Amino acid sequence: MTMRSFWADLPTEGRWLLSTVAIQTLGRGLTLPFTLIYLHEVRGFDLSLAGVLMALIAIAGLAVTGPAGALTDRVGARAVLLVGMASMILGNALLAFATTPAAAAVALVLVGINFGVSWPAFNALIAAIVQGALRQQYFGVNFALVNLGIGVGGVVGGLYADVSRPSTFTVIFLADAASMLVPAALLLGPLRHLHGRAEAPEDATTNPASYAQILREPAVRRLTIITFVAIFIGYGQFEAGFPGYVRAVAEVSTRSVGLAFAVNTAVIVLLQFTVLTRITGRRRTRVMLAMAAIWAAAWLLLGSTGAVAGTPLATAGVLGFMAVFALGETLLQPTVPAIANDLAADHTRGRYNAINAGAFQLGSITGPAAAGVLLDQGLAGLYVALMVAGCALIAVLTRGLERAIPATANGVPAEPSAGVP
């Protein structure tokens, strides 16, 4: 598989969607690393208050994910996405001029609403457009473009934003709002015929798509727990655990922390398509097992930096951690969404994606909290051990998932029954 063949195989709607990803995430990259700085250093809010305000994004997102999944199935992914984009535009525009905690709180809740509704709706829309093995490849390429946009946006924002000039922060938040106009115009223009909604089959039961029924499926429960644990020990550590550990234990510079995130983005952008080529046709659960092993190695590498704290070796270990961890990300991101959407029926896709998104958000909320408690108590060794144990738990759960899902959801064709030609 080459990038050219992948692009040629995509339906026109898929090309349209993919072509705007880097643009809209570039706007997010402009503000993502600097929102806390803006609230604290520009608007003068206490650091503790700024942290609480930032938590509203994840809390609001988690609160609306369930209803968003149901609405995606009932009214269609396109309509839900447009609501989310409108919320994001309003939230960033309000945040650009927010001078009081109340105004900032409303703005960040609106931003969180967008994140809560966009994941299930966007994944459902992709799954409605792209079928088969191409779907897994799409999720992977989309992930690389998201990282590219956020990475470039972060660099541009870092060069432009200046706490001594508050107007620069107003500009980047308005630019983030404006970036959402591009995908909104796409959904209102060339893709206005898409609705991302499927009717339930005639033989479906009266309430065929309730969350309770979906969560009774062993495969869904296992995948949900895997997602939660993966985010708890993964992205949930990026905001608090990783920076806290490398500053307090590895004793590296803040510049090295920023460089580590740049390394993470670069590895994902450079390797994602190669990884997709290698994993296409392989069992997705085996890919997830490889991811768990890679992440365990990454956390052990980070843990070793404490023994050489404050030295160039510690800095190298921190950068190496982010590079190895990024390799694991390139295995995780194409597989979990593909499994979730292949398990779902067309008319339940929104709810399946909402369950997966909810697990992601819950891990993003609890991960930093756990890291803060452990590191604040000086339990750095226990912190690293917990992360490695989480990788082992993912491996155990993945073996159980492999037994619970059909071969087609696991990325390989179903084997014919005995006696069937």
Side-chain angles (χ1 to χ4, degrees), residues 59 61 66 84 116 142 175 207 250 272-273 324 341 380:
I59 294 170
N142 182 80
N207 186 21
Q272 183 67 83
F273 199 80
V324 176
N341 280 281

Side-chain angles (χ1 to χ4, degrees), residues 283-365:
R283 292 183 183 275
R284 292 165 180 161
T285 48
R286 305 297 169 86
V287 174
M288 292 165 64
L289 287 172
M291 179 274 295
I294 290 170
W295 276 8
W299 281 111
L300 289 171
L301 175 60
L302 185 66
S304 70
T305 61
V308 290
T311 68
L313 277 178
T315 299
V318 169
L319 299 180
F321 164 80
M322 273 301 206
V324 176
F325 192 90
L327 176 60
E329 290 180 77
T330 65
L331 298 175
L332 174 70
Q333 291 296 337
T335 51
V336 170
I339 292 174
N341 280 281
D342 284 351
L343 287 173
D346 289 341
H347 67 289
T348 60
R349 207 174 300 284
R351 287 175 172 85
Y352 275 78
N353 280 293
I355 290 170
N356 195 247
F360 188 107
Q361 289 156 348
L362 191 58
S364 298
I365 294 170

Side-chain angles (χ1 to χ4, degrees), residues 14-104:
R15 296 177 191 172
W16 274 112
L17 279 177
L18 203 58
S19 65
T20 67
V21 170
I23 297 174
Q24 67 187 85
T25 53
L26 186 146
R28 183 59 184 153
L30 286 172
T31 61
L32 180 63
F34 310 110
T35 305
L36 185 67
I37 295 172
Y38 168 71
L39 294 173
H40 177 53
E41 298 188 34
V42 177
R43 296 309 183 192
F45 303 158
D46 291 341
L47 193 56
S48 57
L49 174 59
V52 171
L53 289 171
M54 289 293 292
L56 291 176
I57 298 175
I59 294 170
L62 181 61
V64 302
T65 294
L71 283 172
T72 296
D73 289 333
R74 290 172 182 168
V75 304
R78 174 179 169 274
V80 174
L81 277 173
L82 286 171
V83 170
M85 291 171 187
S87 180
M88 186 69 166
I89 291 169
L90 290 173
N92 275 306
L94 178 58
L95 194 57
F97 301 100
T99 57
T100 66

Side-chain angles (χ1 to χ4, degrees), residues 15-399:
R15 296 177 191 172
W16 274 112
L17 279 177
L18 203 58
S19 65
T20 67
V21 170
I23 297 174
Q24 67 187 85
T25 53
L26 186 146
R28 183 59 184 153
L30 286 172
T31 61
L32 180 63
F34 310 110
T35 305
L36 185 67
I37 295 172
Y38 168 71
L39 294 173
H40 177 53
E41 298 188 34
V42 177
R43 296 309 183 192
F45 303 158
D46 291 341
L47 193 56
S48 57
L49 174 59
V52 171
L53 289 171
M54 289 293 292
L56 291 176
I57 298 175
I59 294 170
L62 181 61
V64 302
T65 294
L71 283 172
T72 296
D73 289 333
R74 290 172 182 168
V75 304
R78 174 179 169 274
V80 174
L81 277 173
L82 286 171
V83 170
M85 291 171 187
S87 180
M88 186 69 166
I89 291 169
L90 290 173
N92 275 306
L94 178 58
L95 194 57
F97 301 100
T99 57
T100 66
V106 173
L108 292 168
V109 166
L110 288 170
V111 170
I113 288 172
N114 169 67
F115 292 146
V117 304
S118 292
W119 184 330
F122 186 71
N123 281 0
L125 192 62
I126 291 174
I129 295 171
V130 184
Q131 308 295 323
L134 197 62
R135 182 184 292 164
Q136 175 175 285
Q137 296 161 10
Y138 191 106
F139 282 124
V141 173
N142 182 80
F143 176 63
L145 290 175
V146 166
N147 277 271
L148 177 63
I150 290 178
V152 173
V155 171
V156 173
L159 293 173
Y160 178 74
D162 184 349
V163 293
S164 65
R165 294 188 295 140
S167 61
T168 60
F169 284 86
T170 300
V171 169
I172 63 173
F173 281 107
L174 291 178
D176 191 3
S179 70
M180 298 303 295
L181 296 173
V182 176
L186 184 67
L187 292 176
L188 292 170
L191 298 183
R192 61 184 179 276
H193 62 285
L194 291 179
H195 53 71
R197 182 184 69 254
E199 298 296 334
E202 293 182 0
D203 59 350
T205 59
T206 303
N207 186 21
S210 71
Y211 283 112
Q213 287 179 304
I214 294 171
L215 285 169
R216 290 193 190 105
E217 299 176 23
V220 174
R221 291 199 301 271
R222 288 186 173 92
L223 185 64
T224 301
I225 298 172
I226 289 170
T227 301
F228 168 75
V229 176
I231 303 313
F232 182 95
I233 66 171
Y235 300 114
Q237 301 308 316
F238 275 21
E239 292 183 8
F242 169 73
Y245 185 91
V246 301
R247 289 290 291 148
V249 181
E251 298 178 9
V252 304
S253 66
T254 53
R255 178 174 296 181
S256 296
V257 175
L259 182 58
F261 279 97
V263 168
N264 179 269
T265 298
V267 170
I268 291 170
V269 172
L270 292 174
L271 292 187
Q272 183 67 83
F273 199 80
T274 300
V275 168
L276 284 170
T277 302
R278 298 293 182 88
I279 68 175
T280 298
R282 299 182 183 275
R283 292 183 183 275
R284 292 165 180 161
T285 48
R286 305 297 169 86
V287 174
M288 292 165 64
L289 287 172
M291 179 274 295
I294 290 170
W295 276 8
W299 281 111
L300 289 171
L301 175 60
L302 185 66
S304 70
T305 61
V308 290
T311 68
L313 277 178
T315 299
V318 169
L319 299 180
F321 164 80
M322 273 301 206
V324 176
F325 192 90
L327 176 60
E329 290 180 77
T330 65
L331 298 175
L332 174 70
Q333 291 296 337
T335 51
V336 170
I339 292 174
N341 280 281
D342 284 351
L343 287 173
D346 289 341
H347 67 289
T348 60
R349 207 174 300 284
R351 287 175 172 85
Y352 275 78
N353 280 293
I355 290 170
N356 195 247
F360 188 107
Q361 289 156 348
L362 191 58
S364 298
I365 294 170
T366 56
V373 171
L374 290 173
L375 294 177
D376 187 55
Q377 297 297 317
L379 301 174
L382 180 59
Y383 169 72
V384 173
L386 178 63
M387 299 300 110
V388 176
C391 295
L393 179 57
I394 289 174
V396 172
L397 292 169
T398 298
R399 293 307 299 262

